[in-house]
Amino acid sequence: MSKDYRVAILGATGAVGTELLHLLEYRNFPIAQLKLLASPRSAGKEMTFKGEKFVVEPVKDGAFDNVDLVLASAGGSTSKEWAPKAVEAGATVIDNSSAFRMNEDVPLVVPEVNPQALELHKGIIANPNCTTILMAVAVYPLHKVKPVKRIVVATYQSASGAGARAMEEVKTQSQEILAGKEPVTEIFPYPLAFNLFPHNSPLNNFGYCEEEMKMVNETRKIFDDRALRVNATCIRVPVLRAHSEAINLEFYTPVKPDEAKDILKLAPGIKIVEDWQTNYFPMPIEASGRDEVLIGRIRQDISHQCGLDLWLCGDQIRKGAALNAVQIAELLVEKNLMQPVRAQLTT
Amino acid sequence: MSKDYRVAILGATGAVGTELLHLLEYRNFPIAQLKLLASPRSAGKEMTFKGEKFVVEPVKDGAFDNVDLVLASAGGSTSKEWAPKAVEAGATVIDNSSAFRMNEDVPLVVPEVNPQALELHKGIIANPNCTTILMAVAVYPLHKVKPVKRIVVATYQSASGAGARAMEEVKTQSQEILAGKEPVTEIFPYPLAFNLFPHNSPLNNFGYCEEEMKMVNETRKIFDDRALRVNATCIRVPVLRAHSEAINLEFYTPVKPDEAKDILKLAPGIKIVEDWQTNYFPMPIEASGRDEVLIGRIRQDISHQCGLDLWLCGDQIRKGAALNAVQIAELLVEKNLMQPVRAQLTT
């Protein structure tokens, strides 16, 4: 008989937190006790889990006492502050922020790709960046059979990646523009409605933004392949909650589209969406609310004999964040890896 | 003293036709006589040119008698039918459709790139595809100095590429979705508001859509470089009238970003838009209504030593169509190439 766990969600009121709560219920995660935590600003809000009302508590010292599992999605600085304390208090933390992802002592896990990495965890497990997760699910099954040398990816990222308020902002801006008014910007630096712009995370000296470097470095870590080369261009588009990616793969040896399709058909977490007669391929509105990464337009790159193109859409909040975290939690249960571990993190 | 020309616009009432009329006035093209032509459905509509009202006439036999220059933007089948007749009647035709672009006897011209190609025209000159024009303006100045071996491009194409009604459809669908209604689709096969999808032109046996093959074949023809390799992924996005492109260039030898930037700064038809501190780069709302192709995020591709990335936005209706056609017309005047030419087209 399976044990039940005392679970806390940190950042429960955000877009990902809300989805975490939904998925824990929907997937019937074995919960003995649930605690919803958020910043003092969001504390006091009521949320429902399996018909029962829970009041969101402010995160504070002692909040993680008697908690087995923390699902954290409250931003990097919150995670940096509270995740080590939660581990210290005996909990295992699955962290959705970028705070610990590149830490050598922290496994960075996509369950379909590198579940084995979980076994070495020291209390904190990092949930990868959303665009990275979606690409990893799509590319790894191919990479495992025919190694990928280089990825050139351009993204079409929805507003949800910047949170629930960003999604509202796009809708409000659309209304303003349709009414002939100037759109108001609060979350994003520029209007996103009927517009798009490069991802507005800080740029490094090479001109790559943080989001792009996440795709580069996290993919290498998840694939455990430091030779893999990745070039990413991340663009925010006026879509609500699913990301899309145009992925160009260069393999070491030629890979036929049919061969790739046969591999992807059998791969976990993927649904092939292709009707070449009607130009029907993955679309963000159809990926929204779905678990699978939708993949289509698998075709030979006519500019390179070892090249292959594919197009994907995936729910940014679900597989790009909350679902991946819950799948990690399920793996911890399955592998019996959620015992208290004393932190030995080099932060 | 310059001669004035008898000009006809075929497809005057469309998005591009309207812009053609505007640009002929704005740029003070030497017009002796103006004729506005459209399908019988649009005939009868009144349009204004330099304060004078013109009634749109239906295109029919004899419509091109005593016309020196035809600017055609009424779709491929209309051009196929009427362009040869116009040439037969003594006019020179600048055609915005894809009907004649790959015809060996027809120059395919971007004035900033291959103005010399005009000199061999036999009555019809083709205006390239919009995404192709924007990419050509951005890439050719680099290619001329340091040859490009391969281009991998992902596009973010606005609704305007499918015409004025498509732009209205995105706005209407946005209103419907914001009001909680199902969006109605008429022009596009799928809802475009808060969504995006691969360009819905017919797909070839390799899985490339027509729009993508235009970028491949037209770029090679404009650059007069059949060795150039191009891989394109064309995506329609919920933006109104400017296209964006994420372009990855592979040169034969390494090109530093600063070197590329210096070349592009001096190149015609380009404006560099970059503020790395504020993540300010080209955006479609800022490219709309402008002549220049906005280019930014010129950076080393960290996945390839001969790779370089750039990001561009350009007004699809203006430089992507109407402006390029008017610039061709201006070149014809300047080079005195608009004399009647008997057609010897191999159609």
Side-chain angles (χ1 to χ4, degrees), chain B residues 323-337:
Chain B
L323 175 62
N324 198 72
V326 172
Q327 286 175 311
I328 291 172
E330 290 168 348
L331 267 181
L332 289 173
V333 170
E334 186 188 316
K335 297 187 175 212
N336 197 28
L337 285 167

Side-chain angles (χ1 to χ4, degrees), chain A residues 9 11-22 34 36-38 42 44-56:
Chain A
I9 299 179
T13 58
V16 175
T18 307
E19 189 73 20
L20 281 168
L21 193 64
H22 165 70
L34 181 68
L36 303 182
L37 299 167
S42 299
K45 198 183 158 186
E46 280 195 349
M47 298 179 83
T48 306
F49 179 74
K50 295 193 174 177
E52 195 182 333
K53 288 208 167 150
F54 288 78
V55 177
V56 178

Side-chain angles (χ1 to χ4, degrees), chain B residues 7 14 36 54 85 98 101 123 180 227 233 247 270 272 284 288 305 307:
Chain B
V7 176
L36 302 182
F54 288 78
K85 290 183 183 172
S98 64
R101 285 181 193 152
T233 301
I247 299 178
I270 288 171
I272 305 285
S288 297
Q305 62 164 352

Side-chain angles (χ1 to χ4, degrees), chain A residues 185-202:
Chain A
T185 56
E186 283 180 10
I187 309 295
F188 292 118
Y190 309 106
L192 185 56
F194 304 112
N195 192 30
L196 49 86
F197 46 78
H199 195 280
N200 61 302
S201 47

Side-chain angles (χ1 to χ4, degrees), chain A residues 70-91:
Chain A
V70 179
L71 296 163
S73 185
S77 57
T78 306
S79 285
K80 263 189 189 145
E81 183 181 355
W82 293 104
K85 291 183 182 171
V87 173
E88 196 60 37

